[in-house]
Amino acid sequence: MMMPALGQTHVRISRLDRTLITAVVLLSSVFPVELFSNTPPAPNGLDGQYSGKQGQVLVIKVKGEEQATEVKGTFLRRTIPFFREFRPGEPAGYIGLLGIDMQDDPGTYELAVEVKQGEQAKPLSFNVLVAKEMFAVEHLTLPKGKVDLDEKSVARWKAEQQVVQQALAENSRLKLWHSNFVEPVNGKRTGIFGSVRIMNGKPRNPHNGEDIGAPLGADVVASNDGVVRLTVDHVFSGKGVFIDHGLGFYTMYFHLSEVLVKDGDLVTAGQIIGKVGATGRATGPHLHWGVKLNGARVNPYSLLELPFKNGSTPAATVTTPTSEATPDPQAVPVKE
Ligand SMILES: [Zn+2]
Protein backbone atom coordinates (compact mmCIF):
# COMPACT_ATOMS: atom_id res chain seq x y z
CA MET A 1 0.00 0.00 0.00
CA MET A 2 1.21 3.43 -0.74
CA MET A 3 2.03 5.77 2.12
CA PRO A 4 -0.25 8.80 2.14
CA ALA A 5 2.71 11.19 2.08
CA LEU A 6 4.23 9.45 -0.93
CA GLY A 7 0.87 9.52 -2.65
CA GLN A 8 0.65 13.26 -2.17
CA THR A 9 4.17 13.78 -3.50
CA HIS A 10 3.26 11.75 -6.52
CA VAL A 11 0.22 13.89 -7.13
CA ARG A 12 2.25 17.06 -6.77
CA ILE A 13 4.82 15.87 -9.30
CA SER A 14 2.10 14.97 -11.75
CA ARG A 15 0.58 18.40 -11.43
CA LEU A 16 4.00 20.00 -11.81
CA ASP A 17 4.60 17.89 -14.90
CA ARG A 18 1.30 18.96 -16.36
CA THR A 19 2.02 22.60 -15.58
CA LEU A 20 5.48 22.37 -17.17
CA ILE A 21 4.16 20.61 -20.24
CA THR A 22 1.45 23.25 -20.64
CA ALA A 23 4.02 26.03 -20.17
CA VAL A 24 6.34 24.50 -22.77
CA VAL A 25 3.51 24.08 -25.25
CA LEU A 26 2.37 27.67 -24.73
CA LEU A 27 5.91 29.04 -24.89
CA SER A 28 6.77 27.02 -27.96
CA SER A 29 3.89 28.63 -29.80
CA VAL A 30 5.22 32.08 -28.88
CA PHE A 31 8.96 31.41 -29.15
CA PRO A 32 9.21 28.58 -31.64
CA VAL A 33 12.92 28.93 -32.25
CA GLU A 34 14.47 30.05 -29.03
CA LEU A 35 13.30 27.03 -27.09
CA PHE A 36 13.96 24.23 -29.49
CA SER A 37 16.77 25.27 -31.73
CA ASN A 38 20.40 24.38 -31.08
CA THR A 39 21.56 27.48 -32.91
CA PRO A 40 22.06 30.63 -30.88
CA PRO A 41 19.38 33.29 -31.32
CA ALA A 42 19.92 35.55 -34.30
CA PRO A 43 21.32 39.01 -33.56
CA ASN A 44 18.78 41.77 -33.48
CA GLY A 45 18.11 43.44 -36.77
CA LEU A 46 20.00 46.71 -36.79
CA ASP A 47 17.18 48.57 -38.45
CA GLY A 48 14.11 47.06 -36.94
CA GLN A 49 12.08 43.99 -36.25
CA TYR A 50 8.99 42.55 -37.84
CA SER A 51 6.94 39.53 -37.04
CA GLY A 52 4.13 37.65 -38.67
CA LYS A 53 2.56 34.26 -39.07
CA GLN A 54 2.92 31.80 -41.92
CA GLY A 55 0.82 33.01 -44.86
CA GLN A 56 0.74 36.65 -43.79
CA VAL A 57 1.88 39.74 -45.68
CA LEU A 58 4.12 42.21 -43.83
CA VAL A 59 4.39 45.85 -44.86
CA ILE A 60 8.04 46.90 -44.56
CA LYS A 61 8.82 50.62 -44.47
CA VAL A 62 12.13 52.20 -45.30
CA LYS A 63 12.38 55.92 -44.67
CA GLY A 64 14.01 58.03 -47.32
CA GLU A 65 13.35 61.61 -48.37
CA GLU A 66 15.61 61.29 -51.36
CA GLN A 67 14.77 59.43 -54.49
CA ALA A 68 16.70 56.17 -54.66
CA THR A 69 17.56 54.51 -57.93
CA GLU A 70 16.58 51.11 -56.58
CA VAL A 71 15.39 49.63 -53.31
CA LYS A 72 15.13 45.89 -52.95
CA GLY A 73 15.16 43.35 -50.19
CA THR A 74 16.09 39.70 -49.90
CA PHE A 75 14.28 37.38 -47.54
CA LEU A 76 14.79 33.61 -47.55
CA ARG A 77 16.27 33.91 -51.05
CA ARG A 78 13.16 35.68 -52.32
CA THR A 79 13.50 39.16 -53.78
CA ILE A 80 11.25 41.87 -52.37
CA PRO A 81 10.94 44.91 -54.62
CA PHE A 82 10.20 48.20 -52.84
CA PHE A 83 8.15 51.08 -54.24
CA ARG A 84 7.96 54.79 -53.42
CA GLU A 85 5.24 55.70 -51.02
CA PHE A 86 3.82 59.11 -50.11
CA ARG A 87 1.37 59.40 -47.28
CA PRO A 88 -0.03 62.57 -45.80
CA GLY A 89 1.50 63.19 -42.38
CA GLU A 90 4.13 60.47 -42.71
CA PRO A 91 7.77 60.71 -43.73
CA ALA A 92 8.42 59.84 -47.36
CA GLY A 93 9.93 56.48 -48.01
CA TYR A 94 9.67 53.10 -49.62
CA ILE A 95 7.38 50.17 -48.99
CA GLY A 96 8.04 46.50 -49.60
CA LEU A 97 5.47 43.77 -49.22
CA LEU A 98 7.00 40.71 -47.66
CA GLY A 99 5.03 37.52 -48.04
CA ILE A 100 5.64 34.79 -45.49
CA ASP A 101 5.11 31.51 -47.32
CA MET A 102 2.63 29.19 -45.65
CA GLN A 103 5.44 26.63 -45.28
CA ASP A 104 8.29 28.90 -44.19
CA ASP A 105 9.67 27.28 -41.05
CA PRO A 106 9.02 29.23 -37.88
CA GLY A 107 12.13 31.11 -36.82
CA THR A 108 13.94 34.42 -37.08
CA TYR A 109 15.38 35.38 -40.45
CA GLU A 110 17.11 38.40 -41.86
CA LEU A 111 15.49 40.73 -44.35
CA ALA A 112 18.41 42.46 -46.02
CA VAL A 113 17.47 45.65 -47.86
CA GLU A 114 19.68 47.56 -50.23
CA VAL A 115 18.99 51.22 -50.97
CA LYS A 116 20.85 52.29 -54.08
CA GLN A 117 21.69 55.91 -54.82
CA GLY A 118 23.52 55.84 -58.11
CA GLU A 119 26.75 53.98 -57.45
CA GLN A 120 26.30 53.97 -53.71
CA ALA A 121 24.39 51.24 -51.94
CA LYS A 122 23.27 51.49 -48.35
CA PRO A 123 22.52 48.16 -46.66
CA LEU A 124 19.78 47.81 -44.05
CA SER A 125 19.02 44.79 -41.94
CA PHE A 126 15.75 43.77 -40.33
CA ASN A 127 14.86 40.77 -38.28
CA VAL A 128 11.68 38.97 -39.18
CA LEU A 129 10.17 36.52 -36.75
CA VAL A 130 8.06 33.92 -38.54
CA ALA A 131 5.50 32.42 -36.19
CA LYS A 132 3.62 29.21 -36.72
CA GLU A 133 0.03 29.41 -37.91
CA MET A 134 -2.27 26.72 -36.62
CA PHE A 135 -3.68 25.51 -39.91
CA ALA A 136 -6.63 23.19 -39.91
CA VAL A 137 -6.32 19.50 -40.73
CA GLU A 138 -8.76 18.18 -43.30
CA HIS A 139 -9.56 14.53 -43.77
CA LEU A 140 -10.95 13.87 -47.22
CA THR A 141 -12.17 10.66 -48.73
CA LEU A 142 -12.26 10.66 -52.50
CA PRO A 143 -12.60 7.96 -55.14
CA LYS A 144 -9.14 6.43 -55.65
CA GLY A 145 -8.87 7.63 -59.23
CA LYS A 146 -9.24 11.24 -58.12
CA VAL A 147 -6.34 11.02 -55.67
CA ASP A 148 -3.77 8.77 -57.30
CA LEU A 149 -3.22 9.92 -60.84
CA ASP A 150 -2.35 7.59 -63.67
CA GLU A 151 0.90 8.15 -65.55
CA LYS A 152 -0.73 10.10 -68.33
CA SER A 153 -2.34 12.54 -65.91
CA VAL A 154 0.92 12.99 -64.00
CA ALA A 155 2.68 13.82 -67.28
CA ARG A 156 -0.07 16.29 -68.14
CA TRP A 157 0.14 17.87 -64.71
CA LYS A 158 3.93 18.27 -64.99
CA ALA A 159 3.63 19.93 -68.38
CA GLU A 160 0.99 22.29 -67.01
CA GLN A 161 3.22 23.23 -64.10
CA GLN A 162 5.93 24.15 -66.60
CA VAL A 163 3.53 26.42 -68.44
CA VAL A 164 2.53 28.18 -65.21
CA GLN A 165 6.10 28.57 -64.01
CA GLN A 166 7.20 30.03 -67.31
CA ALA A 167 4.30 32.47 -67.42
CA LEU A 168 4.98 33.64 -63.88
CA ALA A 169 8.76 33.70 -64.14
CA GLU A 170 9.01 37.29 -65.27
CA ASN A 171 7.54 39.91 -63.01
CA SER A 172 6.20 43.13 -64.40
CA ARG A 173 8.55 45.89 -63.39
CA LEU A 174 5.67 48.30 -62.94
CA LYS A 175 3.44 48.30 -59.96
CA LEU A 176 0.03 47.84 -61.53
CA TRP A 177 -2.06 47.33 -58.39
CA HIS A 178 -3.21 50.28 -56.37
CA SER A 179 -5.41 51.12 -53.43
CA ASN A 180 -7.34 48.30 -51.81
CA PHE A 181 -7.80 44.73 -52.98
CA VAL A 182 -11.34 43.39 -53.31
CA GLU A 183 -12.82 39.97 -52.69
CA PRO A 184 -13.24 38.29 -56.08
CA VAL A 185 -16.65 36.79 -55.41
CA ASN A 186 -19.51 37.19 -53.00
CA GLY A 187 -19.61 33.91 -51.17
CA LYS A 188 -18.79 31.88 -48.14
CA ARG A 189 -15.17 31.83 -47.15
CA THR A 190 -14.19 28.35 -45.99
CA GLY A 191 -11.07 29.38 -44.08
CA ILE A 192 -9.00 26.48 -45.27
CA PHE A 193 -5.95 28.36 -46.52
CA GLY A 194 -2.89 26.35 -45.51
CA SER A 195 -4.89 23.43 -44.21
CA VAL A 196 -3.09 20.12 -44.06
CA ARG A 197 -4.85 17.55 -46.20
CA ILE A 198 -5.09 13.89 -45.50
CA MET A 199 -6.61 12.18 -48.52
CA ASN A 200 -7.75 8.61 -48.10
CA GLY A 201 -5.41 8.42 -45.10
CA LYS A 202 -2.33 9.82 -46.89
CA PRO A 203 -0.91 13.30 -46.19
CA ARG A 204 -0.91 15.59 -49.22
CA ASN A 205 0.30 19.08 -49.91
CA PRO A 206 -1.42 21.79 -47.92
CA HIS A 207 -4.13 23.87 -49.51
CA ASN A 208 -2.39 26.85 -51.08
CA GLY A 209 -5.32 29.23 -51.45
CA GLU A 210 -8.71 30.03 -50.07
CA ASP A 211 -11.91 28.41 -51.30
CA ILE A 212 -15.01 30.57 -51.50
CA GLY A 213 -18.31 28.79 -51.88
CA ALA A 214 -20.58 30.52 -54.41
CA PRO A 215 -23.33 29.50 -56.85
CA LEU A 216 -22.47 28.17 -60.28
CA GLY A 217 -22.21 31.08 -62.70
CA ALA A 218 -21.65 33.81 -60.08
CA ASP A 219 -19.40 36.64 -61.24
CA VAL A 220 -15.70 36.43 -60.40
CA VAL A 221 -13.86 39.76 -60.46
CA ALA A 222 -10.21 40.79 -60.53
CA SER A 223 -9.12 41.65 -57.02
CA ASN A 224 -6.97 44.53 -58.27
CA ASP A 225 -5.61 46.12 -61.43
CA GLY A 226 -3.21 44.07 -63.47
CA VAL A 227 -2.56 42.20 -66.66
CA VAL A 228 -3.87 38.73 -67.42
CA ARG A 229 -0.68 36.70 -67.59
CA LEU A 230 -2.22 33.31 -68.30
CA THR A 231 -5.57 31.63 -68.80
CA VAL A 232 -5.66 27.84 -68.46
CA ASP A 233 -7.79 24.72 -68.50
CA HIS A 234 -5.73 22.42 -66.32
CA VAL A 235 -6.20 19.03 -64.73
CA PHE A 236 -6.34 20.30 -61.13
CA SER A 237 -7.21 23.97 -61.37
CA GLY A 238 -9.72 23.55 -64.19
CA LYS A 239 -10.43 26.78 -66.04
CA GLY A 240 -8.31 29.44 -64.41
CA VAL A 241 -6.94 32.96 -64.68
CA PHE A 242 -3.56 34.25 -63.44
CA ILE A 243 -3.35 38.03 -63.00
CA ASP A 244 -0.01 39.81 -62.71
CA HIS A 245 -0.34 42.91 -60.51
CA GLY A 246 3.29 43.87 -60.96
CA LEU A 247 6.40 43.65 -58.78
CA GLY A 248 5.97 39.89 -58.29
CA PHE A 249 2.38 40.03 -57.09
CA TYR A 250 0.05 37.45 -58.66
CA THR A 251 -3.52 36.43 -57.92
CA MET A 252 -5.15 33.32 -59.36
CA TYR A 253 -8.72 32.18 -59.80
CA PHE A 254 -9.51 28.48 -60.40
CA HIS A 255 -12.37 26.06 -61.16
CA LEU A 256 -14.21 28.65 -63.29
CA SER A 257 -17.08 27.56 -65.51
CA GLU A 258 -16.23 30.35 -67.95
CA VAL A 259 -13.19 32.55 -68.52
CA LEU A 260 -14.08 36.00 -69.87
CA VAL A 261 -10.60 37.42 -70.41
CA LYS A 262 -7.61 36.38 -72.48
CA ASP A 263 -3.85 36.42 -72.07
CA GLY A 264 -2.47 39.96 -72.14
CA ASP A 265 -5.74 41.73 -71.29
CA LEU A 266 -5.46 44.67 -68.92
CA VAL A 267 -7.99 44.38 -66.11
CA THR A 268 -9.08 46.73 -63.38
CA ALA A 269 -10.12 45.95 -59.81
CA GLY A 270 -13.70 44.69 -59.77
CA GLN A 271 -13.79 43.80 -63.47
CA ILE A 272 -15.56 40.51 -64.21
CA ILE A 273 -13.00 37.96 -65.43
CA GLY A 274 -15.04 34.77 -65.27
CA LYS A 275 -17.84 32.76 -63.67
CA VAL A 276 -17.81 30.41 -60.71
CA GLY A 277 -17.67 26.74 -61.68
CA ALA A 278 -16.47 23.31 -60.63
CA THR A 279 -13.96 22.54 -63.39
CA GLY A 280 -10.78 20.61 -62.63
CA ARG A 281 -10.54 18.75 -59.34
CA ALA A 282 -13.48 20.26 -57.48
CA THR A 283 -16.28 18.64 -55.57
CA GLY A 284 -18.75 21.47 -56.21
CA PRO A 285 -19.00 25.06 -57.46
CA HIS A 286 -16.58 27.37 -55.68
CA LEU A 287 -13.75 29.76 -56.38
CA HIS A 288 -10.22 28.83 -55.43
CA TRP A 289 -8.47 32.16 -54.88
CA GLY A 290 -4.70 32.00 -54.59
CA VAL A 291 -1.92 34.56 -54.22
CA LYS A 292 1.77 34.46 -54.92
CA LEU A 293 3.82 37.34 -53.61
CA ASN A 294 7.44 37.23 -54.76
CA GLY A 295 7.28 33.46 -54.71
CA ALA A 296 5.53 33.12 -51.34
CA ARG A 297 2.12 31.52 -51.09
CA VAL A 298 0.15 33.83 -48.82
CA ASN A 299 -3.39 33.96 -47.53
CA PRO A 300 -5.47 35.91 -50.08
CA TYR A 301 -7.48 37.47 -47.29
CA SER A 302 -4.34 39.14 -45.97
CA LEU A 303 -4.57 41.37 -49.06
CA LEU A 304 -7.82 42.86 -47.81
CA GLU A 305 -6.05 44.01 -44.65
CA LEU A 306 -3.24 45.88 -46.39
CA PRO A 307 -3.15 49.54 -45.36
CA PHE A 308 -3.65 50.99 -48.81
CA LYS A 309 -7.33 51.76 -48.56
CA ASN A 310 -7.07 55.39 -49.54
CA GLY A 311 -5.30 54.89 -52.78
CA SER A 312 -2.30 56.91 -51.66
CA THR A 313 0.28 54.85 -53.47
CA PRO A 314 1.27 56.23 -56.84
CA ALA A 315 2.61 54.15 -59.67
CA ALA A 316 6.00 52.72 -58.86
CA THR A 317 9.03 54.84 -59.47
CA VAL A 318 11.52 52.25 -58.29
CA THR A 319 11.31 48.64 -59.22
CA THR A 320 13.71 45.78 -59.33
CA PRO A 321 14.58 43.82 -62.38
CA THR A 322 12.99 40.43 -62.71
CA SER A 323 12.54 38.98 -59.27
CA GLU A 324 13.98 35.53 -58.80
CA ALA A 325 10.72 34.05 -57.71
CA THR A 326 11.55 30.52 -56.78
CA PRO A 327 9.52 27.91 -58.61
CA ASP A 328 7.20 25.99 -56.40
CA PRO A 329 9.10 22.91 -55.32
CA GLN A 330 5.92 21.18 -54.34
CA ALA A 331 5.03 17.81 -55.69
CA VAL A 332 1.53 17.27 -56.99
CA PRO A 333 -0.55 20.05 -55.47
CA VAL A 334 -4.06 19.23 -54.54
CA LYS A 335 -6.59 21.91 -55.21
CA GLU A 336 -10.16 21.19 -54.44
ZN1 LIG B 1 -8.98 25.36 -53.29
Side-chain angles (χ1 to χ4, degrees):
M1 252 179 98
M2 197 177 273
M3 297 286 286
L6 187 59
Q8 277 168 14
T9 309
H10 188 78
V11 168
R12 272 206 302 277
I13 289 168
S14 299
R15 278 188 189 147
L16 183 62
D17 280 353
R18 268 207 303 276
T19 310
L20 280 174
I21 289 164
T22 310
V24 168
V25 168
L26 286 175
L27 281 171
S28 66
S29 61
V30 181
F31 304 105
V33 180
E34 284 74 4
L35 269 184
F36 295 109
S37 169
N38 292 326
T39 52
N44 288 344
L46 296 174
D47 303 289
Q49 310 249 4
Y50 288 91
S51 65
K53 286 185 173 177
Q54 293 167 321
Q56 280 189 340
V57 176
L58 302 180
V59 179
I60 312 292
K61 292 183 183 177
V62 173
K63 283 181 198 159
E65 294 294 336
E66 289 173 29
Q67 180 86 36
T69 42
E70 184 184 41
V71 181
K72 72 171 176 183
T74 308
F75 178 75
L76 290 173
R77 289 186 289 167
R78 303 194 286 266
T79 303
I80 319 289
F82 280 65
F83 53 90
R84 192 92 167 124
E85 167 83 349
F86 299 95
R87 287 175 173 238
E90 283 183 33
Y94 291 86
I95 296 257
L97 297 181
L98 185 154
I100 301 176
D101 187 86
M102 63 184 194
Q103 288 191 302
D104 281 344
D105 287 331
T108 304
Y109 306 98
E110 187 192 24
L111 164 66
V113 178
E114 194 178 59
V115 181
K116 277 192 186 163
Q117 297 274 13
E119 292 298 299
Q120 290 189 321
K122 181 180 152 198
L124 299 170
S125 173
F126 299 87
N127 261 354
V128 180
L129 172 70
V130 174
K132 190 166 178 57
E133 178 62 285
M134 299 308 285
F135 295 121
V137 178
E138 284 183 289
H139 288 269
L140 303 172
T141 306
L142 290 167
K144 206 172 176 303
K146 283 219 163 196
V147 177
D148 299 312
L149 297 180
D150 55 58
E151 263 177 47
K152 208 173 140 194
S153 300
V154 170
R156 179 182 159 187
W157 170 78
K158 282 185 179 166
E160 290 172 352
Q161 287 299 99
Q162 285 281 318
V163 170
V164 170
Q165 279 176 15
Q166 274 167 22
L168 273 53
E170 288 217 7
N171 295 332
S172 292
R173 296 181 59 176
L174 284 179
K175 174 173 163 290
L176 303 173
W177 65 272
H178 74 278
S179 190
N180 53 315
F181 282 77
V182 296
E183 243 176 317
V185 68
N186 287 322
K188 190 175 179 296
R189 176 185 170 181
T190 52
I192 60 163
F193 170 78
S195 62
V196 177
R197 301 194 133 176
I198 317 275
M199 289 204 172
N200 298 355
K202 287 185 199 159
R204 297 282 166 154
N205 288 320
H207 189 247
N208 59 10
E210 185 59 282
D211 287 346
I212 309 171
L216 187 70
D219 290 338
V220 174
V221 305
S223 59
N224 211 314
D225 298 358
V227 57
V228 175
R229 192 53 71 202
L230 184 68
T231 55
V232 297
D233 189 354
H234 282 174
V235 60
F236 286 120
S237 32
K239 292 183 182 175
V241 176
F242 294 77
I243 298 179
D244 177 357
H245 302 287
L247 303 181
F249 210 144
Y250 290 91
T251 55
M252 47 208 82
Y253 312 78
F254 294 161
H255 308 307
L256 304 174
S257 58
E258 254 184 282
V259 170
L260 300 171
V261 287
K262 54 187 191 310
D263 297 8
D265 280 359
L266 284 171
V267 292
T268 53
Q271 180 180 332
I272 298 170
I273 56 168
K275 303 278 184 185
V276 168
T279 54
R281 183 143 82 175
T283 48
H286 74 278
L287 176 71
H288 173 103
W289 183 27
V291 176
K292 263 210 170 168
L293 178 55
N294 301 308
R297 298 156 299 172
V298 299
N299 188 333
Y301 279 87
S302 62
L303 305 189
L304 305 187
E305 290 152 22
L306 291 176
F308 303 109
K309 300 256 187 272
N310 300 321
S312 59
T313 55
T317 49
V318 169
T319 64
T320 62
T322 304
S323 160
E324 299 105 43
T326 40
D328 207 337
Q330 295 300 306
V332 180
V334 172
K335 301 187 190 86
E336 284 299 307

